[in-house]
Amino acid sequence: EMRSWKLLQLEPSALRKPDTFNAPTTMDATGLHLPATLWNLAHEGGRHNAIEESRVYATTASRLAELLNDVRELKIDRDEKRDLLTLLVAGKDGTFHPARALSDGTLRFLALAVLELDPRSQGVICLEEPENGIHPARIPAMLSLLQDIAVDVDQEIGPDNPLRQVIINTHSPAVVLEVPESSLLIAETVKVTAPSGQDYEKVRFSAIAKSWRQDLGVSVVPKGSLLAYLNPVRQEDLTSLQTRLPSSPRRRVIDDPELQGLLFGNRDAA
C-alpha cells in the first residue's frame, strides 16, 4: 500500500522543461512532463477536439488566476519543427511567457492544477509544505486546490471525482488556521516508558477536541495548546483570516468561536 503512495517533490527545474511529442503523458513526482500531460488532457488522449481543448486550457487558466490575478490565458505551444511542447501563460496584456519565466511557487501551483484535472492520478498523494514559494495571502487558494484534488466523499466516485487522498505537512501557522478542523493532526513528541522501565520519546498524532477523530479514540490536543504555535501570526493577519469567507463549506480552524476567543482575547488582554 505504501509503495503505491505518490510523494510529490515538485522541482522547478523539471516543471520548466518543454516536452517532446513522444514524452510520457503523465507527470512524475518531480513535475516532469507537465506540458505533455496537459496537452494529452486537452486532446483526449491524442484526438483533437476544439471544445475540449478550450475547456481544459480555460479551466487551468482560471485555477491559476486564483493565485495570480494577472493570468489571462494558458496554452501548450506545439512546435512541429523542433518537436517540442511548451507551456505558455499570458498576462492581461496578452503577452505569452514560457514556463521557464514563471516563479517556483506558480509552477508548483500549476502542476497541482493539472493533477486535479487528470483522472488517471489516483491514490494517496503526499506533499511537503505546500506554502513554499506562495505569498501568504494566496495560501487559501493553495489549500482550496488541494481540497479539490482530494475525493469528495459525499459524491459518487468517477472520472470527475477520482479516489484520491491528499496528505500534507506544514510548519506554517497560516496553513493551520485555514485547514478544516477535521483534517488537522498535530505531531507531538511524548515521553513513553517501555516495559523494561526505560524512558524514550516518540511522535504522537493528535486531533482537535470534538472532531470525528476523537470518537475513534485518537488523542486530543486542547485548543488552548495551539496558542503558542499560532501566536507568531500578526494581529492584522489574524483579523484578515477571521473575516475572510471560507473557500469550503467545512469549518476551518480559525472559524471556531472558542479558538477565536482564545486568540483575540489573548491579544486584547496583552
Side-chain angles (χ1 to χ4, degrees), residues 113-143:
V114 173
L115 184 69
E116 181 205 358
L117 283 176
D118 193 351
R120 298 168 300 172
S121 181
Q122 300 188 22
V124 178
I125 299 170
C126 306
L127 182 66
E128 289 195 76
E129 300 183 334
E131 69 275 9
N132 283 348
I134 300 294
H135 189 283
R138 304 302 183 189
I139 284 177
M142 172 62 82
L143 294 178

mmCIF file of all heavy atoms in Angstrom, residues 113-143:
data_model
loop_
_atom_site.group_PDB
_atom_site.id
_atom_site.type_symbol
_atom_site.label_atom_id
_atom_site.label_comp_id
_atom_site.label_asym_id
_atom_site.label_seq_id
_atom_site.Cartn_x
_atom_site.Cartn_y
_atom_site.Cartn_z
ATOM 1 N N ALA A 113 -2.733 22.038 -10.265
ATOM 2 C CA ALA A 113 -3.970 22.294 -11.010
ATOM 3 C C ALA A 113 -4.146 21.271 -12.131
ATOM 4 O O ALA A 113 -5.260 20.808 -12.396
ATOM 5 C CB ALA A 113 -3.952 23.712 -11.582
ATOM 6 N N VAL A 114 -3.051 20.910 -12.796
ATOM 7 C CA VAL A 114 -3.115 19.894 -13.847
ATOM 8 C C VAL A 114 -3.386 18.526 -13.231
ATOM 9 O O VAL A 114 -4.152 17.727 -13.778
ATOM 10 C CB VAL A 114 -1.804 19.888 -14.661
ATOM 11 C CG1 VAL A 114 -1.780 18.718 -15.645
ATOM 12 C CG2 VAL A 114 -1.661 21.212 -15.418
ATOM 13 N N LEU A 115 -2.792 18.263 -12.087
ATOM 14 C CA LEU A 115 -3.019 16.998 -11.382
ATOM 15 C C LEU A 115 -4.493 16.835 -11.039
ATOM 16 O O LEU A 115 -5.059 15.745 -11.155
ATOM 17 C CB LEU A 115 -2.171 16.967 -10.113
ATOM 18 C CG LEU A 115 -2.197 15.682 -9.291
ATOM 19 C CD1 LEU A 115 -1.499 14.547 -10.030
ATOM 20 C CD2 LEU A 115 -1.527 15.908 -7.940
ATOM 21 N N GLU A 116 -5.129 17.923 -10.614
ATOM 22 C CA GLU A 116 -6.558 17.859 -10.283
ATOM 23 C C GLU A 116 -7.386 17.447 -11.498
ATOM 24 O O GLU A 116 -8.368 16.703 -11.381
ATOM 25 C CB GLU A 116 -7.034 19.212 -9.769
ATOM 26 C CG GLU A 116 -8.506 19.219 -9.384
ATOM 27 C CD GLU A 116 -9.139 20.600 -9.445
ATOM 28 O OE1 GLU A 116 -8.440 21.577 -9.740
ATOM 29 O OE2 GLU A 116 -10.365 20.682 -9.209
ATOM 30 N N LEU A 117 -7.001 17.923 -12.686
ATOM 31 C CA LEU A 117 -7.761 17.627 -13.906
ATOM 32 C C LEU A 117 -7.562 16.204 -14.414
ATOM 33 O O LEU A 117 -8.374 15.723 -15.199
ATOM 34 C CB LEU A 117 -7.345 18.603 -15.016
ATOM 35 C CG LEU A 117 -7.889 20.024 -14.963
ATOM 36 C CD1 LEU A 117 -7.293 20.848 -16.092
ATOM 37 C CD2 LEU A 117 -9.415 20.027 -15.045
ATOM 38 N N ASP A 118 -6.481 15.553 -13.988
ATOM 39 C CA ASP A 118 -6.113 14.251 -14.547
ATOM 40 C C ASP A 118 -6.765 13.111 -13.769
ATOM 41 O O ASP A 118 -6.330 12.784 -12.658
ATOM 42 C CB ASP A 118 -4.587 14.095 -14.520
ATOM 43 C CG ASP A 118 -4.113 12.916 -15.354
ATOM 44 O OD1 ASP A 118 -4.960 12.129 -15.806
ATOM 45 O OD2 ASP A 118 -2.894 12.800 -15.556
ATOM 46 N N PRO A 119 -7.805 12.471 -14.317
ATOM 47 C CA PRO A 119 -8.480 11.389 -13.590
ATOM 48 C C PRO A 119 -7.612 10.150 -13.428
ATOM 49 O O PRO A 119 -7.919 9.266 -12.625
ATOM 50 C CB PRO A 119 -9.708 11.099 -14.466
ATOM 51 C CG PRO A 119 -9.304 11.532 -15.834
ATOM 52 C CD PRO A 119 -8.397 12.708 -15.633
ATOM 53 N N ARG A 120 -6.501 10.068 -14.175
ATOM 54 C CA ARG A 120 -5.610 8.914 -14.042
ATOM 55 C C ARG A 120 -4.776 8.984 -12.768
ATOM 56 O O ARG A 120 -4.211 7.977 -12.337
ATOM 57 C CB ARG A 120 -4.675 8.843 -15.255
ATOM 58 C CG ARG A 120 -5.373 8.653 -16.587
ATOM 59 C CD ARG A 120 -4.415 8.895 -17.737
ATOM 60 N NE ARG A 120 -3.865 10.254 -17.701
ATOM 61 C CZ ARG A 120 -2.888 10.690 -18.486
ATOM 62 N NH1 ARG A 120 -2.332 9.867 -19.361
ATOM 63 N NH2 ARG A 120 -2.457 11.934 -18.402
ATOM 64 N N SER A 121 -4.671 10.170 -12.194
ATOM 65 C CA SER A 121 -3.903 10.337 -10.964
ATOM 66 C C SER A 121 -4.798 10.008 -9.774
ATOM 67 O O SER A 121 -5.714 10.769 -9.452
ATOM 68 C CB SER A 121 -3.384 11.769 -10.870
ATOM 69 O OG SER A 121 -2.623 11.950 -9.717
ATOM 70 N N GLN A 122 -4.542 8.859 -9.153
ATOM 71 C CA GLN A 122 -5.380 8.401 -8.052
ATOM 72 C C GLN A 122 -4.515 7.901 -6.906
ATOM 73 O O GLN A 122 -3.295 7.822 -7.006
ATOM 74 C CB GLN A 122 -6.323 7.287 -8.541
ATOM 75 C CG GLN A 122 -7.249 7.715 -9.663
ATOM 76 C CD GLN A 122 -8.290 6.665 -9.990
ATOM 77 O OE1 GLN A 122 -8.620 5.811 -9.188
ATOM 78 N NE2 GLN A 122 -8.822 6.731 -11.204
ATOM 79 N N GLY A 123 -5.169 7.572 -5.787
ATOM 80 C CA GLY A 123 -4.460 7.044 -4.629
ATOM 81 C C GLY A 123 -4.100 8.130 -3.637
ATOM 82 O O GLY A 123 -4.707 9.202 -3.596
ATOM 83 N N VAL A 124 -3.094 7.846 -2.824
ATOM 84 C CA VAL A 124 -2.639 8.778 -1.791
ATOM 85 C C VAL A 124 -1.544 9.667 -2.361
ATOM 86 O O VAL A 124 -0.558 9.177 -2.913
ATOM 87 C CB VAL A 124 -2.110 8.022 -0.556
ATOM 88 C CG1 VAL A 124 -1.597 9.013 0.494
ATOM 89 C CG2 VAL A 124 -3.209 7.156 0.052
ATOM 90 N N ILE A 125 -1.727 10.971 -2.245
ATOM 91 C CA ILE A 125 -0.767 11.957 -2.747
ATOM 92 C C ILE A 125 -0.222 12.743 -1.554
ATOM 93 O O ILE A 125 -0.990 13.315 -0.777
ATOM 94 C CB ILE A 125 -1.431 12.915 -3.756
ATOM 95 C CG1 ILE A 125 -1.961 12.118 -4.951
ATOM 96 C CG2 ILE A 125 -0.468 13.993 -4.214
ATOM 97 C CD1 ILE A 125 -2.840 12.927 -5.872
ATOM 98 N N CYS A 126 1.085 12.723 -1.387
ATOM 99 C CA CYS A 126 1.728 13.392 -0.252
ATOM 100 C C CYS A 126 2.531 14.587 -0.744
ATOM 101 O O CYS A 126 3.209 14.507 -1.767
ATOM 102 C CB CYS A 126 2.658 12.425 0.485
ATOM 103 S SG CYS A 126 1.859 10.886 1.007
ATOM 104 N N LEU A 127 2.453 15.671 -0.005
ATOM 105 C CA LEU A 127 3.125 16.915 -0.406
ATOM 106 C C LEU A 127 3.670 17.616 0.826
ATOM 107 O O LEU A 127 2.939 17.830 1.801
ATOM 108 C CB LEU A 127 2.139 17.825 -1.144
ATOM 109 C CG LEU A 127 2.672 19.145 -1.691
ATOM 110 C CD1 LEU A 127 3.693 18.894 -2.802
ATOM 111 C CD2 LEU A 127 1.525 20.007 -2.223
ATOM 112 N N GLU A 128 4.957 17.978 0.771
ATOM 113 C CA GLU A 128 5.570 18.685 1.888
ATOM 114 C C GLU A 128 5.400 20.191 1.746
ATOM 115 O O GLU A 128 5.625 20.748 0.678
ATOM 116 C CB GLU A 128 7.066 18.361 1.972
ATOM 117 C CG GLU A 128 7.361 16.956 2.437
ATOM 118 C CD GLU A 128 8.810 16.810 2.842
ATOM 119 O OE1 GLU A 128 9.167 17.283 3.942
ATOM 120 O OE2 GLU A 128 9.575 16.235 2.060
ATOM 121 N N GLU A 129 4.962 20.816 2.818
ATOM 122 C CA GLU A 129 4.892 22.266 2.949
ATOM 123 C C GLU A 129 4.426 22.968 1.673
ATOM 124 O O GLU A 129 5.205 23.652 0.996
ATOM 125 C CB GLU A 129 6.261 22.796 3.395
ATOM 126 C CG GLU A 129 6.689 22.204 4.737
ATOM 127 C CD GLU A 129 8.003 22.741 5.262
ATOM 128 O OE1 GLU A 129 8.825 23.174 4.428
ATOM 129 O OE2 GLU A 129 8.209 22.734 6.475
ATOM 130 N N PRO A 130 3.149 22.824 1.330
ATOM 131 C CA PRO A 130 2.635 23.418 0.084
ATOM 132 C C PRO A 130 2.703 24.939 0.062
ATOM 133 O O PRO A 130 2.563 25.540 -1.005
ATOM 134 C CB PRO A 130 1.181 22.931 0.052
ATOM 135 C CG PRO A 130 0.832 22.662 1.476
ATOM 136 C CD PRO A 130 2.098 22.144 2.104
ATOM 137 N N GLU A 131 2.934 25.553 1.211
ATOM 138 C CA GLU A 131 3.011 27.021 1.251
ATOM 139 C C GLU A 131 4.328 27.563 0.718
ATOM 140 O O GLU A 131 4.455 28.776 0.497
ATOM 141 C CB GLU A 131 2.802 27.522 2.691
ATOM 142 C CG GLU A 131 3.923 27.195 3.661
ATOM 143 C CD GLU A 131 3.836 25.826 4.296
ATOM 144 O OE1 GLU A 131 2.994 25.014 3.870
ATOM 145 O OE2 GLU A 131 4.623 25.555 5.227
ATOM 146 N N ASN A 132 5.306 26.695 0.481
ATOM 147 C CA ASN A 132 6.610 27.159 -0.012
ATOM 148 C C ASN A 132 6.477 27.876 -1.356
ATOM 149 O O ASN A 132 5.889 27.359 -2.296
ATOM 150 C CB ASN A 132 7.571 25.978 -0.166
ATOM 151 C CG ASN A 132 8.134 25.512 1.163
ATOM 152 O OD1 ASN A 132 7.997 26.194 2.178
ATOM 153 N ND2 ASN A 132 8.775 24.354 1.175
ATOM 154 N N GLY A 133 7.047 29.064 -1.433
ATOM 155 C CA GLY A 133 7.015 29.833 -2.672
ATOM 156 C C GLY A 133 5.699 30.537 -2.921
ATOM 157 O O GLY A 133 5.529 31.153 -3.984
ATOM 158 N N ILE A 134 4.759 30.457 -1.981
ATOM 159 C CA ILE A 134 3.439 31.075 -2.151
ATOM 160 C C ILE A 134 3.320 32.281 -1.221
ATOM 161 O O ILE A 134 3.658 32.200 -0.036
ATOM 162 C CB ILE A 134 2.312 30.068 -1.824
ATOM 163 C CG1 ILE A 134 2.389 28.852 -2.757
ATOM 164 C CG2 ILE A 134 0.943 30.732 -1.923
ATOM 165 C CD1 ILE A 134 2.120 29.150 -4.199
ATOM 166 N N HIS A 135 2.828 33.394 -1.758
ATOM 167 C CA HIS A 135 2.575 34.567 -0.920
ATOM 168 C C HIS A 135 1.544 34.194 0.147
ATOM 169 O O HIS A 135 0.569 33.501 -0.138
ATOM 170 C CB HIS A 135 2.044 35.712 -1.778
ATOM 171 C CG HIS A 135 1.949 37.016 -1.049
ATOM 172 N ND1 HIS A 135 0.931 37.294 -0.160
ATOM 173 C CD2 HIS A 135 2.751 38.121 -1.059
ATOM 174 C CE1 HIS A 135 1.092 38.504 0.338
ATOM 175 N NE2 HIS A 135 2.205 39.019 -0.190
ATOM 176 N N PRO A 136 1.746 34.614 1.411
ATOM 177 C CA PRO A 136 0.804 34.255 2.480
ATOM 178 C C PRO A 136 -0.652 34.540 2.141
ATOM 179 O O PRO A 136 -1.547 33.788 2.542
ATOM 180 C CB PRO A 136 1.288 35.111 3.665
ATOM 181 C CG PRO A 136 2.743 35.297 3.414
ATOM 182 C CD PRO A 136 2.889 35.396 1.921
ATOM 183 N N ALA A 137 -0.915 35.614 1.388
ATOM 184 C CA ALA A 137 -2.288 35.948 1.032
ATOM 185 C C ALA A 137 -2.904 34.930 0.074
ATOM 186 O O ALA A 137 -4.128 34.875 -0.075
ATOM 187 C CB ALA A 137 -2.354 37.342 0.409
ATOM 188 N N ARG A 138 -2.064 34.128 -0.578
ATOM 189 C CA ARG A 138 -2.543 33.145 -1.556
ATOM 190 C C ARG A 138 -2.632 31.738 -0.979
ATOM 191 O O ARG A 138 -2.983 30.800 -1.691
ATOM 192 C CB ARG A 138 -1.631 33.127 -2.785
ATOM 193 C CG ARG A 138 -1.473 34.480 -3.472
ATOM 194 C CD ARG A 138 -2.788 35.056 -3.915
ATOM 195 N NE ARG A 138 -2.624 36.305 -4.638
ATOM 196 C CZ ARG A 138 -3.641 37.097 -4.982
ATOM 197 N NH1 ARG A 138 -4.877 36.770 -4.645
ATOM 198 N NH2 ARG A 138 -3.418 38.217 -5.650
ATOM 199 N N ILE A 139 -2.319 31.584 0.311
ATOM 200 C CA ILE A 139 -2.385 30.263 0.927
ATOM 201 C C ILE A 139 -3.792 29.671 0.861
ATOM 202 O O ILE A 139 -3.955 28.476 0.581
ATOM 203 C CB ILE A 139 -1.871 30.329 2.384
ATOM 204 C CG1 ILE A 139 -0.339 30.430 2.366
ATOM 205 C CG2 ILE A 139 -2.315 29.113 3.190
ATOM 206 C CD1 ILE A 139 0.288 30.571 3.736
ATOM 207 N N PRO A 140 -4.876 30.453 1.069
ATOM 208 C CA PRO A 140 -6.211 29.871 0.929
ATOM 209 C C PRO A 140 -6.462 29.283 -0.461
ATOM 210 O O PRO A 140 -7.133 28.252 -0.593
ATOM 211 C CB PRO A 140 -7.145 31.060 1.205
ATOM 212 C CG PRO A 140 -6.349 31.947 2.090
ATOM 213 C CD PRO A 140 -4.938 31.842 1.597
ATOM 214 N N ALA A 141 -5.933 29.918 -1.514
ATOM 215 C CA ALA A 141 -6.104 29.386 -2.869
ATOM 216 C C ALA A 141 -5.407 28.042 -3.010
ATOM 217 O O ALA A 141 -5.936 27.115 -3.634
ATOM 218 C CB ALA A 141 -5.560 30.382 -3.894
ATOM 219 N N MET A 142 -4.211 27.913 -2.438
ATOM 220 C CA MET A 142 -3.491 26.645 -2.485
ATOM 221 C C MET A 142 -4.249 25.549 -1.742
ATOM 222 O O MET A 142 -4.407 24.427 -2.226
ATOM 223 C CB MET A 142 -2.095 26.829 -1.891
ATOM 224 C CG MET A 142 -1.316 25.525 -1.720
ATOM 225 S SD MET A 142 -0.989 24.652 -3.275
ATOM 226 C CE MET A 142 0.465 25.542 -3.846
ATOM 227 N N LEU A 143 -4.762 25.867 -0.554
ATOM 228 C CA LEU A 143 -5.479 24.860 0.224
ATOM 229 C C LEU A 143 -6.801 24.470 -0.439
ATOM 230 O O LEU A 143 -7.214 23.311 -0.390
ATOM 231 C CB LEU A 143 -5.729 25.380 1.646
ATOM 232 C CG LEU A 143 -4.466 25.589 2.487
ATOM 233 C CD1 LEU A 143 -4.824 26.161 3.854
ATOM 234 C CD2 LEU A 143 -3.701 24.285 2.643
#
